[in-house]
Amino acid sequence: MAKINANYEALYILKPDLNEEQIAALVERFKSVVEANGTVSEVNEWGKRRLAYPINDLMEGYYVLMTFTAAAAVPAELDRIFRITDGVMRSMIVCKDE
């Protein structure tokens, strides 16, 4: 029998030139996308960190780790939103159950 809900981790890097209000708005936006059809366990903001390699000539990024439980359609929608949001440099969603 297929699982209805699974545990996921989403790690995303925001542009370092965003101010605190813009970062808070993006974090809340991504959290609300998950909460519409799942539950957010934790949102851990790591803050600005140096990147291992430059991305679009930027050497820093604002890291955020979000753990959540949701159906399989939610990570796909969250990934789509990550890709079309201007403030997101990179993102990765991983299923923790596998």
Side-chain angles (χ1 to χ4, degrees), residues 7-11 65-68 78 92-96:
N7 294 318
Y8 295 95
E9 279 186 347
L11 178 67
L65 176 69
M66 179 171 57
T67 58
F68 61 96
L78 186 62
M92 180 174 62
I93 301 173
V94 177
C95 183
K96 291 172 52 177

Side-chain angles (χ1 to χ4, degrees), residues 5-55:
N5 288 333
N7 294 318
Y8 295 95
E9 279 186 347
L11 178 67
Y12 52 96
I13 306 171
L14 302 175
K15 291 183 178 177
D17 56 353
L18 298 174
N19 62 34
E20 290 180 19
E21 289 122 19
Q22 291 171 318
I23 290 171
L26 285 174
V27 170
E28 186 59 36
R29 177 180 176 201
F30 301 140
K31 186 177 172 184
S32 66
V33 167
V34 173
E35 287 177 337
N37 293 313
T39 57
V40 175
S41 304
E42 181 182 11
V43 176
N44 191 353
E45 296 185 32
W46 294 353
K48 280 188 183 177
R49 296 191 178 219
R50 186 167 174 79
L51 300 172
Y53 56 89
I55 299 173

